[in-house]
Amino acid sequence: MLKYLFSIFTFLLLSLNIFAQSADELVAKASHASYYNGKDGRAKAMMTVTDAQGRTRERALTIIKLNIADNAEQKYFVYFHKPNDVKGMSYIVWKSTTKDDDRWLYMPALDLVKRIAASDKRSSFAGTTFLYEDISGRAITLDNHELLSSDGDVYLVKNTPKDPKSIEFAYYTVEIDKNNFVPKKAQYYDKASKVYRVIEALEVKDIQGYPTIVKMKATDNNANANTVTEFSDTEYDINVSADIFTERYLRNPPQQWIKEK
Amino acid sequence: MHKSLFSAYPLRKNAVASLRDASLGFCPRSPAAFCACAQKSLDPARSDIKTFCSGIYLTRFIVILFIAFGMPFFAYSFELPDIHGFVETLYAPRISKDSLTKHDDRVALEERVQLKSRYTFSEGFLASLNSVINFKNDFVVDNYFDNTLHYKLRELNYSFSPTGFMDVKIGRQVLTWGVADYLFINDLFPKDYVSFYIGRDDEYLKAPSDAARISLFPSLVNIDFVVFGFEPNVLPKGDRLSMFDSFQGGIAGRNSERYLIEPAQTAENLQYALRLYRNFGNIEGAFYAYRGFDPMPRSYLDEMNRKLFYERLDVHGLSLRSPFLGGIASFEGGYYYSSQDSAGNNRLIENSSYKVLAGYEKDLGNDLKVSGQYMYEEKLNYSDYITALMPWDYFWDARRHVLTQGLTKLYKNQTVRVSVFNFYSPSDKDGYLRASISYDVTDSFKVACGANLPWGEDNKSEFGQMQKNKNVFLRARYSF
């Protein structure tokens, strides 16, 4: 009898372990599908911020990325087209999942290359309701992942930060599309288990064989504000050189990718 | 006391800067070794400068009209590149009256239109060189002085990449390097400290240079080499901002009558600046070299006639910048060699010196950033300098310490920006507090207000001499 019970216990432990592993795998696949398609890529992003009074602000930028290691290091080049007072500013991120990112900002009016202290990845990106971490991806090693359900056509994964003190949310859930592993909806819960932030993929397209989010929305329930981002001119595997992500190109943005009159 | 950042030395009485603006960027220079651009000329023959400049003024006015109204039209007609810019108004009343200056109640009242454009060649040989033309100019109606329209060309340059490892930028451009905030050691490119003190946007702290910049990117180290003509720092001269004038024996305003003698614009007076830089892992390292003139008029050419000049200056320095404990740490140092007084025993010419600086900036989260810097300067051959002084001379301390503290906080989805920056020198017992709040009402419309509060126990220290110029400012800008 005791032996029988022990077998059941072992079986339960094993199955839990399998579940845990598959949640990690799912999150890794979702992270790949969101941020690491292709070896490099370029897209234009039009971000429309709508505040609680219904007023809108627009941010237009070109993003160029280069993957260094899957679900780990990446380099980003961001060029601002709008609003007009920041037009021409460019920005480089050397993203790391093991230490703080390296970031540099170029202000053309002053010809100034400024290195940015980047310890806070949970601050607003360019005044939108997207956070830096939403744009460049949150390191998957920062959270414990748990598969809550696999009903219908999505997996529902709960992500709980390993270091809860470092972060403003208690946990967040992500719905991952079973077909292509694109995260369709992320909901962030505060300490009272209330949803206060939602990020949704509003439109997903196949671009060069990669499932790609072309329209997404970040809603801040507390501020009653949201940002819709529409990506256009998305291209993958365009042979971006690693040189692009250096001071040289901060000062002279790579025209062939920016394509600005 | 020490004279540095901008010197407590007398500043030019005349309006070389505005004469230069008035002449579309070309100050009439004498063919002699030095050009004395003086409003109150010592030499009656110099009055021709004024006449010449006012002649140019009419031409300039026509050019402004043509550009202001013509360019958008041409842009529309011939699919020229987009033109952007802004319209801005600035009003900066004084906190306390200063009867020394032209207006005792304000330091600025002006309207500004900036137009800028960028043309990227899309076809042919020039396109294959990644050719770009940058243009930016300001039209300013300065109600402080004369209510007339001033044309200020900030950028007109052509940049291209003749080979895969080389970039070239030729023409009028703004140049900056170094790692410190608002303190400059290896950046000897021209600054406009008048703009800095009267509440103009930070952009105007940097004055443009007429330069050729060549950048090389071999694998070992990146190289920037700049050749540029002399362009002095824009400093208070008593008409708008009062400052220390040794000839007047204290803080002077319109009573200041000094002549700032610039080096002639000749080939041998060209200035050279070099930067070698590369990353060592996370650490950015740079070496700098400069040969040219001190952009501050720190030396005396002719005491009797109140003439100051910009002595020759060579600077060698280095900087390091790296992430450190979740923030950014920086270090910069430079050795200033005064070749016209290398022994340091000429009381009329600035001695050699060195400056070192350490800084740290950290993002504390929730859009709050704090920073701090410490700078130390020391005049070399100090005993020789002291020995050479005459009994009636003003003299300056051997050492100067400066601390800065900065804080920036953003609110309301980063549309409200609160910024405080403080300079404090325990050795000079002076300081300068800059504070501002700006609000992006919409993407296009922005308002800002703030205060410039220099203070000091002494009339001749760097910030102390500015103590009568305390002001608050209000700016409104519409960008297009």
Side-chain angles (χ1 to χ4, degrees):
Chain A
M1 184 63 194
L2 201 67
K3 198 177 173 183
Y4 179 65
L5 275 175
F6 184 74
S7 312
I8 291 176
F9 186 65
T10 315
F11 173 76
L12 278 172
L13 268 180
L14 276 172
S15 18
L16 277 173
N17 193 30
I18 287 165
F19 265 110
Q21 266 187 13
S22 59
D24 283 353
E25 274 170 26
L26 281 172
V27 170
K29 284 181 176 168
S31 163
H32 180 91
S34 310
Y35 301 104
Y36 293 88
N37 283 339
K39 62 181 165 67
D40 56 40
R42 191 277 317 265
K44 282 193 173 173
M46 179 59 135
M47 310 178 89
T48 307
V49 189
T50 308
D51 70 8
Q53 284 91 51
R55 294 174 300 196
T56 60
R57 293 169 193 271
E58 284 186 341
R59 308 274 173 270
L61 34 118
T62 295
I63 303 175
I64 305 164
K65 69 156 190 193
L66 177 67
N67 298 331
I68 309 291
D70 192 25
N71 285 340
E73 280 72 36
Q74 276 183 316
K75 291 184 175 179
Y76 282 90
F77 185 102
V78 178
Y79 179 88
F80 284 87
H81 301 274
K82 272 187 183 176
N84 286 323
D85 65 335
V86 298
K87 183 182 174 65
M89 276 196 351
S90 43
Y91 193 77
I92 287 174
V93 183
W94 292 2
K95 176 184 153 189
S96 169
T97 46
T98 53
K99 58 180 179 62
D100 285 341
D101 295 349
D102 290 309
R103 299 185 199 163
W104 291 266
L105 175 70
Y106 177 64
M107 296 190 253
L110 287 159
D111 184 46
L112 178 66
V113 174
K114 195 162 170 50
R115 195 159 184 171
I116 306 288
S119 45
D120 185 17
K121 295 184 187 183
R122 307 284 307 163
S123 58
S124 159
F125 176 79
T128 68
T129 52
F130 285 95
L131 308 183
Y132 275 97
E133 226 167 49
D134 303 326
I135 303 294
S136 63
R138 177 171 167 82
I140 56 180
T141 50
L142 291 176
D143 304 317
N144 290 312
H145 313 290
E146 184 188 344
L147 180 60
L148 293 182
S149 77
S150 48
D151 302 335
D153 52 6
V154 294
Y155 299 108
L156 182 64
V157 176
K158 178 180 175 182
N159 310 275
T160 313
K162 290 176 182 171
D163 178 10
K165 287 193 293 290
S166 69
I167 203 110
E168 86 283 5
F169 58 79
Y171 64 92
Y172 67 103
T173 61
V174 182
E175 291 173 19
I176 299 169
D177 192 311
K178 282 183 177 175
N179 295 317
N180 52 22
F181 297 100
V182 169
K184 298 181 78 172
K185 188 174 187 180
Q187 300 194 87
Y188 292 78
Y189 293 79
D190 61 18
K191 312 288 183 212
S193 286
K194 191 175 99 218
V195 176
Y196 72 97
R197 270 191 94 220
V198 181
I199 300 180
E200 297 159 278
L202 301 179
E203 196 179 340
V204 178
K205 269 189 186 162
D206 185 291
I207 294 175
Q208 295 169 249
Y210 302 107
T212 304
I213 298 171
V214 294
K215 189 172 180 183
M216 63 195 291
K217 181 177 181 181
T219 307
D220 181 339
N221 292 341
N222 292 338
N224 198 16
N226 70 73
T227 305
V228 174
T229 303
E230 289 179 83
F231 294 99
S232 60
D233 297 345
T234 306
E235 280 184 276
Y236 294 107
D237 301 322
I238 52 174
N239 291 322
V240 171
S241 151
D243 289 352
I244 300 286
F245 308 93
T246 60
E247 183 176 326
R248 176 182 188 183
Y249 289 91
L250 263 183
R251 289 177 188 271
N252 297 301
Q255 297 303 328
Q256 71 270 38
W257 312 127
I258 307 292
K259 280 185 190 160
E260 195 183 38
K261 264 211 304 181
Chain B
M1 293 298 154
H2 198 283
K3 48 199 156 86
S4 72
L5 189 108
F6 78 75
S7 161
Y9 254 97
L11 308 165
R12 83 175 89 185
K13 164 70 183 172
N14 64 67
V16 172
S18 55
L19 285 178
R20 178 173 287 126
D21 297 332
S23 55
L24 288 168
F26 304 105
C27 177
R29 310 270 178 179
S30 116
F34 289 106
C35 157
C37 289
Q39 220 164 36
K40 290 192 178 176
S41 180
L42 295 172
D43 173 3
R46 288 253 166 264
S47 59
D48 60 351
I49 292 170
K50 268 185 90 176
T51 320
F52 178 67
C53 289
S54 50
I56 288 288
Y57 189 88
L58 264 179
T59 322
R60 188 192 62 183
F61 190 73
I62 293 163
V63 170
I64 290 166
L65 288 179
F66 174 75
I67 291 175
F69 300 103
M71 280 201 54
F73 173 75
F74 278 110
Y76 180 76
S77 313
F78 299 105
E79 292 183 14
L80 280 177
D82 294 345
I83 290 172
H84 294 280
F86 60 78
V87 182
E88 185 179 69
T89 184
L90 164 69
Y91 174 51
R94 290 178 180 276
I95 288 176
S96 54
K97 290 202 168 187
D98 184 356
S99 53
L100 294 169
T101 50
K102 183 168 190 232
H103 296 286
D104 61 1
D105 59 337
R106 61 181 190 264
V107 294
L109 176 59
E110 64 192 29
E111 291 79 46
R112 182 180 295 267
V113 178
Q114 182 178 89
L115 296 181
K116 63 178 177 179
S117 191
R118 180 181 170 85
Y119 181 75
T120 307
F121 290 82
S122 54
E123 286 170 15
F125 176 66
L126 292 179
S128 72
L129 297 180
N130 294 320
S131 299
V132 177
I133 291 175
N134 274 303
F135 167 81
K136 181 194 276 187
N137 75 282
D138 284 15
F139 306 100
V140 186
V141 177
D142 189 340
N143 304 118
Y144 189 88
F145 287 119
D146 50 10
N147 272 319
T148 53
L149 191 60
H150 294 256
Y151 171 92
K152 303 197 178 201
L153 184 65
R154 284 189 67 79
E155 286 179 46
L156 180 56
N157 57 66
Y158 169 57
S159 68
F160 64 107
S161 307
T163 71
F165 57 87
M166 185 178 185
D167 291 343
V168 177
K169 193 174 193 177
I170 294 172
R172 180 163 292 196
Q173 54 193 296
V174 172
L175 294 154
T176 302
W177 60 42
V179 297
D181 277 343
Y182 295 141
L183 294 172
F184 303 94
I185 294 178
N186 291 295
D187 179 341
L188 279 299
F189 303 116
K191 323 283 185 307
D192 180 347
Y193 286 106
V194 172
S195 292
F196 193 58
Y197 273 98
I198 65 172
R200 289 185 186 134
D201 189 271
D202 271 3
E203 167 178 5
Y204 296 100
L205 172 58
K206 297 295 294 197
S209 304
D210 294 324
R213 175 186 191 137
I214 297 159
S215 305
L216 296 164
F217 306 94
S219 53
L220 188 66
V221 64
N222 303 306
I223 301 164
D224 272 324
F225 181 65
V226 183
V227 182
F228 60 118
F230 176 78
E231 181 72 36
N233 285 350
V234 180
L235 299 171
K237 50 182 187 258
D239 45 5
R240 186 199 290 269
L241 297 175
S242 57
M243 77 297 156
F244 177 75
D245 180 345
S246 61
F247 300 116
Q248 303 297 329
I251 291 180
R254 282 181 296 169
N255 55 323
S256 173
E257 286 190 70
R258 304 180 309 180
Y259 300 90
L260 309 183
I261 310 302
E262 295 182 18
Q265 297 283 27
T266 58
E268 62 266 31
N269 286 344
L270 282 175
Q271 307 187 106
Y272 305 91
L274 173 77
R275 178 175 67 136
L276 308 179
Y277 65 103
R278 64 161 294 166
N279 286 14
F280 303 93
N282 250 336
I283 303 172
E284 296 168 88
F287 166 82
Y288 309 85
Y290 169 79
R291 168 157 286 185
F293 296 88
D294 190 341
M296 308 280 189
R298 288 182 223 261
S299 298
Y300 292 83
L301 187 68
D302 179 350
E303 281 183 290
M304 285 296 288
N305 292 310
R306 301 183 303 281
K307 284 183 183 173
L308 293 162
F309 78 113
Y310 304 84
E311 80 283 353
R312 279 213 163 264
L313 179 67
D314 294 344
V315 181
H316 295 90
L318 52 87
S319 72
L320 297 168
R321 184 161 62 180
S322 170
F324 181 67
L325 298 176
I328 303 291
S330 50
F331 168 83
E332 188 167 346
Y335 167 60
Y336 283 51
Y337 174 65
S338 178
S339 58
Q340 286 166 280
D341 183 22
S342 52
N345 55 12
N346 185 339
R347 57 180 267 280
L348 301 177
I349 298 179
E350 178 71 11
N351 279 28
S352 299
S353 64
Y354 71 88
K355 297 182 185 184
V356 286
L357 173 141
Y360 188 65
E361 181 178 75
K362 193 165 164 71
D363 179 358
L364 298 180
N366 293 316
D367 287 324
L368 173 65
K369 273 186 185 169
V370 293
S371 69
Q373 297 180 114
Y374 166 68
M375 184 169 78
Y376 173 73
E377 318 174 26
E378 184 171 334
K379 190 195 281 285
L380 298 171
N381 303 316
Y382 191 70
S383 57
D384 295 314
Y385 163 74
I386 290 294
T387 311
L389 286 173
M390 292 294 173
W392 56 83
D393 278 344
Y394 284 96
F395 68 97
W396 312 90
D397 290 347
R399 298 176 183 86
R400 177 168 180 255
H401 304 264
V402 183
L403 295 159
T404 72
Q405 302 84 39
L407 182 150
T408 307
K409 170 81 179 160
L410 309 176
Y411 295 95
K412 292 181 78 76
N413 266 329
Q414 302 182 348
T415 55
V416 175
R417 177 193 161 92
V418 177
S419 164
V420 178
F421 196 91
N422 186 48
F423 297 87
Y424 169 60
S425 169
S427 53
D428 281 1
K429 295 193 177 60
D430 69 352
Y432 172 26
L433 178 69
R434 294 165 57 83
S436 67
I437 301 175
S438 69
Y439 173 45
D440 296 352
V441 184
T442 69
D443 278 341
S444 302
F445 184 54
K446 183 178 196 162
V447 289
C449 65
N452 289 294
L453 305 171
W455 60 273
E457 288 188 3
D458 195 281
N459 279 346
K460 69 183 200 295
S461 65
E462 178 170 326
F463 304 117
Q465 64 172 318
M466 298 298 294
Q467 58 188 279
K468 287 177 179 285
N469 298 309
K470 293 184 186 70
N471 63 79
V472 290
F473 65 86
L474 196 64
R475 274 199 319 257
R477 174 184 288 200
Y478 181 81
S479 303
F480 53 86

